[in-house]
Amino acid sequence: MSVRRIAQEQPEKFEFNAENMIWAEELIKKYPVGKERSAVIPLLWRAQEQNDGWTSEPAMRKVADLLGMAYIRVYEVATFYTMFQLSPVGKKAHVQVCGTTPCMLRGSKELIEICKKRISKTPHTLSEDGDFSWEEVECLGACVNAPMIQIFKDTYEDLDEKALEDLLDAFAKGEQPKPGPQIERTLSCPESGLTTLTDVPDYVPLNLSSSASDVAEAPVSQEEASGEILTAVSSVATEEKTTEKNEASSKENSSADKSSDDLKSAAATALSEKSSEGKTADDTVSDEDRPEYLDGPRDGNGDDLKMIKGVGPKLEATLNALGFYHFDQIASWTRENIAWVDNSLSFKGRIDRENWLEQAKKLASGEETEFSKRANYDDAPKNDAPKGDK
Ligand code: FES
């Protein structure tokens, strides 16, 4: 890590403008009495934003005074984190080039040469027109897309010399280039396509409000599958925002229920099509091992399968789509049935690990389990799938 020193030339003083002062006072109130100094990083950041992208020594003192901290404590924070600039930076871009091993092995030295050529020979020195500056920093957490740079709040990844030149040209023209990978890849997906988790996901994420026909017309390749899910997630986020603004809450609820029903029905169709094609992830599992299933819950009312530890809202919907609505159905599964369900839902081992059958037997006979006693479905789903599980 390079030595970070504050600039020799400093302004006389720093004051937050009126708007930022109100914001700072409100922010400090959010912390418990005696813990206000936890606000040091957001306050320094706001000071830096107000001060043309760099944190002056008077700004550090101002933040320390607001938080009742010793000046040296704020100085330590500001000089430790490379997000805080200790001298003036370029008006259009301050380029932070990651020089840590993965980025170095993938070409960060060449990127630094471009910065030296186009901006200034030494780091933390303004270009002649004052528009650019650069520095080398430690890992910025995007190693998978190395080499990369950060400009203000955004990262630009998968760079080579030409890509960096193009970016600098765009900033020079006052444009805002698209952050993220600068090659044809989605986020941090492998450049050459998927190499693991290559089976097309056969679960239906309930949060996606895509239509039933979207799900039925499932993507055929792995890349299409992941791309489609990402697109759907992003469009759902946008839709949800718009809906929040424009629709009354009752209308929202009704639309969400409909969407959920659509997805359940689409999941059933997709799973049944898959089953009829005899496709399974494990060839040792046959469709003959499929447990007895129902076309719908008996008397129109299924059991609350979320009472089983390990079953969250998503898994419950998928189990329903497979024709399982009641505790006694699950309680009666044989080893072969368990293998079939495991195989069909791509969450191998959880049925045994969480002992679903024992839980289901108790619940089917009207007994409570330790988990069902604690369950409270008005809260966020405690029983949801662990990270990484489908
Ligand atoms: S090594 Fe460059 S982002 Fe991690």
Side-chain angles (χ1 to χ4, degrees), residues 161-178:
E161 289 149 281
K162 176 170 183 323
L164 178 57
E165 297 258 19
D166 290 347
L167 282 173
L168 295 178
D169 288 342
F171 276 102
K173 287 185 218 153
E175 296 170 1
Q176 278 295 320
K178 181 175 81 63

Side-chain angles (χ1 to χ4, degrees), residues 98-103 139-143 146 148:
C98 171
T100 304
T101 313
C103 283
C139 178
L140 289 168
C143 334
M148 56 81 66

Side-chain angles (χ1 to χ4, degrees), residues 228-246:
E228 193 143 311
I229 288 171
L230 286 168
T231 310
V233 168
S234 131
S235 73
V236 167
T238 312
E239 269 175 35
E240 280 175 356
K241 268 192 184 165
T242 312
T243 307
E244 273 171 25
K245 281 184 186 166
N246 301 333

Side-chain angles (χ1 to χ4, degrees), residues 2-46:
S2 58
V3 178
R4 284 167 49 79
R5 298 191 196 287
I6 61 172
Q8 299 233 331
E9 282 182 35
Q10 294 285 341
E12 287 278 300
K13 60 178 196 165
F14 173 88
E15 291 294 339
F16 279 113
N17 60 33
E19 184 189 343
N20 283 341
M21 197 60 217
I22 292 168
W23 172 88
E25 285 167 354
E26 287 303 311
L27 179 84
I28 294 167
K29 280 189 214 154
K30 291 181 183 168
Y31 292 86
V33 175
K35 303 288 181 193
E36 291 86 351
R37 64 199 145 156
S38 299
V40 64
I41 286 182
L43 284 183
L44 280 171
W45 184 257
R46 184 59 69 109

